[in-house]
C-alpha cells in the first residue's frame, strides 16, 4: 500500500521535474524560458490559497527533482533548526526577491536579459539546494524557498491534516515525512499545526493506526489508490 502510494507520487513528480532542466539548462540557450519561474511563483501562491503548500508536493519541478534524485544520494540527516527559523526564511525571501526585483528594474525592456537573470537565480539556488540536500536531506531547500515561505504564511487552516486519538506515538509518520515534520506531536490539538506540511499524504498511508487523514479531495485520491493496490 505504501509502496504503491509512493510509486503514484513519483509518477506525478516524473512529469513535473522536467521543468527544472528545461529552465536551468535550456534557459542558457533561450533565456525567455526563465519566465517559467514566474509561472511557478504564481502557481505556488494560487495553490496555497486553497490547499496550503500542496504545490511543493509534486507540482513544483524542483521539489520533485529533489525527491526523485537527490533523495537517493542524500545522507538523510536532520535538517538543522537554523533552516526552519523565521528569521532565516525572511532573510532568504528578502534577498532573493530583492535580487529578482533589482534585475527586472535594471534590465527593464531587455526581456532576454530579464529572462537570463531568472535562469541564473534558479540555477544558483538549485545548485545550493542540491549541495545542502546531499549533505543533510533532499528537501532542505524547501524550508527556505521563498515560495515555500509565502506558502507557509498563506497555509494556515488550509486542507488540514487531522490526527485521531488512536495515535500510539510510534513516530512512523515522522520517519516517512519528506519535510521531516512530526504530525504525532499535534495529537492533542487533533489537527496538524505545522504549515510546512506539503500535503503529500505519505504519513496517512504509512500510519499503522490510520490515525491521520485529510478531510477533502485528497481522501478520494487515496481511496482510488487503495482500490488500485
Ligand atoms: S504513525 Fe500514526 S500512530 Fe504512529 S505516531 Fe504517527 S500518527 Fe501516531
Ligand atoms: S506531515 Fe504528512 S502530509 Fe504533511 S508533508 Fe509530512 S508526510 Fe506529507
Amino acid at each position: 500500500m505504501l509502496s504503491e502510494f509512493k510509486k503514484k507520487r513519483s509518477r506525478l513528480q516524473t512529469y513535473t521535474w522536467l521543468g527544472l532542466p528545461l529552465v536551468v539548462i535550456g534557459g542558457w540557450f533561450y533565456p525567455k524560458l526563465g519566465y517559467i519561474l514566474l509561472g511557478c511563483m504564481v502557481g505556488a501562491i494560487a495553490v496555497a490559497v486553497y490547499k496550503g503548500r500542496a504545490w511543493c508536493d509534486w507540482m513544483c519541478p524542483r521539489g520533485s527533482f529533489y525527491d526523485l534524485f537527490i533523495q537517493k544520494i542524500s545522507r538523510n540527516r536532520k535538517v538543522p533548526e537554523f533552516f526552519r527559523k523565521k528569521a532565516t526564511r525572511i532573510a532568504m525571501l528578502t534577498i532573493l526577491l530583492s535580487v529578482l526585483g533589482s534585475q527586472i528594474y535594471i534590465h527593464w525592456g531587455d526581456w532576454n536579459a530579464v529572462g537570463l537573470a531568472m535562469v541564473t537565480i534558479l540555477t544558483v539556488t538549485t545548485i545550493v539546494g542540491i549541495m545542502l540536500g546531499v549533505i543533510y536531506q533532499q528537501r532542505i531547500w524547501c524550508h527556505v524557498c521563498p515560495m515555500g515561505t509565502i506558502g507557509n504564511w498563506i497555509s494556515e487552516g488550509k486542507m488540514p491534516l487531522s490526527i485521531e486519538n488512536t495515535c500510539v506515538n510510534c513516530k512512523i509518520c515522522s520517519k516517512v515525512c519528506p519535510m521531516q515534520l512530526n504530525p504525532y506531536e499535534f495529537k492533542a490539538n487533533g489537527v496538524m499545526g505545522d504549515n510546512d506540511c506539503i500535503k503529500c499524504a505519505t504519513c496517512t498511508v504509512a500510519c499503522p493506526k490510520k490515525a491521520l487523514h485529510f478531510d477533502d479531495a485528497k481522501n478520494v485520491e487515496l481511496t482510488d489508490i487503495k482500490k488500485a493496490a
Side-chain angles (χ1 to χ4, degrees), residues 167-173 184 207-209 211-212:
C167 166
V168 290
N169 287 324
C170 66
K171 302 183 183 166
I172 288 174
C173 49
Y184 66 91
C207 174
K209 296 294 171 185
L212 301 166

Side-chain angles (χ1 to χ4, degrees), residues 95-156:
I95 291 167
L96 287 176
L97 288 187
S98 303
V99 171
L100 181 61
S102 61
Q103 289 298 309
I104 292 174
Y105 178 74
I106 291 166
H107 298 297
W108 189 258
D110 181 350
W111 304 118
N112 270 335
V114 172
L116 193 59
M118 292 185 201
V119 171
T120 307
I121 291 169
L122 189 67
T123 304
V124 171
T125 53
T126 299
I127 291 170
V128 170
I130 289 172
M131 291 193 300
L132 289 171
V134 172
I135 297 168
Y136 292 103
Q137 189 258 5
Q138 82 272 7
R139 283 265 183 177
I140 186 169
W141 174 261
C142 305
H143 292 278
V144 290
C145 170
M147 287 305 107
T149 298
I150 293 174
N152 175 303
W153 293 340
I154 301 173
S155 285
E156 191 65 43

Side-chain angles (χ1 to χ4, degrees), residues 161 173 176-183 192 196-204 212 214:
L161 174 65
C173 49
V176 298
C177 178
M179 293 293 285
Q180 294 190 345
L181 308 182
N182 303 319
M192 175 76 164
D196 280 326
C197 172
I198 60 173
K199 324 293 184 187
C200 69
T202 309
C203 58
T204 69
L212 301 166
F214 289 104

Side-chain angles (χ1 to χ4, degrees), residues 50-83:
Y50 298 99
K51 292 185 160 194
R53 290 193 62 178
W55 171 271
C56 311
D57 175 15
W58 63 268
M59 287 177 261
C60 172
R62 182 154 61 181
S64 296
F65 168 77
Y66 289 152
D67 273 350
L68 287 175
F69 301 104
I70 305 305
Q71 184 183 24
K72 292 186 172 77
I73 52 171
S74 175
R75 295 164 77 214
N76 204 18
R77 299 289 163 91
K78 189 168 162 33
V79 171
E81 275 309 305
F82 170 80
F83 289 88

